[in-house]
Amino acid sequence: MKKIDDLIASVTSIHDRYRAGRMERETVREWVLGLGGYPAPYAEPLSEAAVWFRPLRDMELDALKAADLERLKAIIEAGRA
């Protein structure tokens, strides 16, 4: 369970720092892509986040950031469902 607690704490920190503008998208992208495997219910939102962050996206910056934050939030909320 410690590993899950660490995951949630890390994702929450990344989400909050990125939302506040204290972290660049590329850093968030590299961090997400570097995450290992986790059990359900975290596996699915982590996989979806990795698929989302893998390609570089050509979108309006505010829309891109909002979509990024939604994927991070889905990981945080996976254990609450």
Side-chain angles (χ1 to χ4, degrees):
M1 192 61 165
K2 176 86 169 134
K3 189 174 181 182
I4 298 299
D5 292 341
D6 291 344
L7 170 68
I8 298 306
S10 294
V11 175
T12 300
S13 175
I14 296 289
H15 177 277
D16 293 348
R17 290 169 54 203
Y18 181 43
R19 184 185 60 205
R22 295 191 317 261
M23 183 172 269
E24 297 293 324
R25 182 181 195 271
E26 184 60 22
T27 303
V28 175
R29 181 179 171 276
E30 290 173 6
W31 181 82
V32 168
L33 295 177
L35 289 172
Y38 286 85
Y42 302 97
E44 185 175 338
L46 279 167
S47 177
E48 290 173 4
V51 168
W52 170 257
F53 278 99
R54 193 167 324 279
L56 296 175
R57 299 197 176 265
D58 185 23
M59 293 174 63
E60 190 271 324
L61 291 179
D62 289 339
L64 180 62
K65 186 172 185 175
D68 292 346
L69 290 168
E70 281 301 311
R71 274 138 186 104
L72 294 172
K73 186 177 176 184
I75 298 167
I76 295 166
E77 294 179 347
R80 297 179 189 160

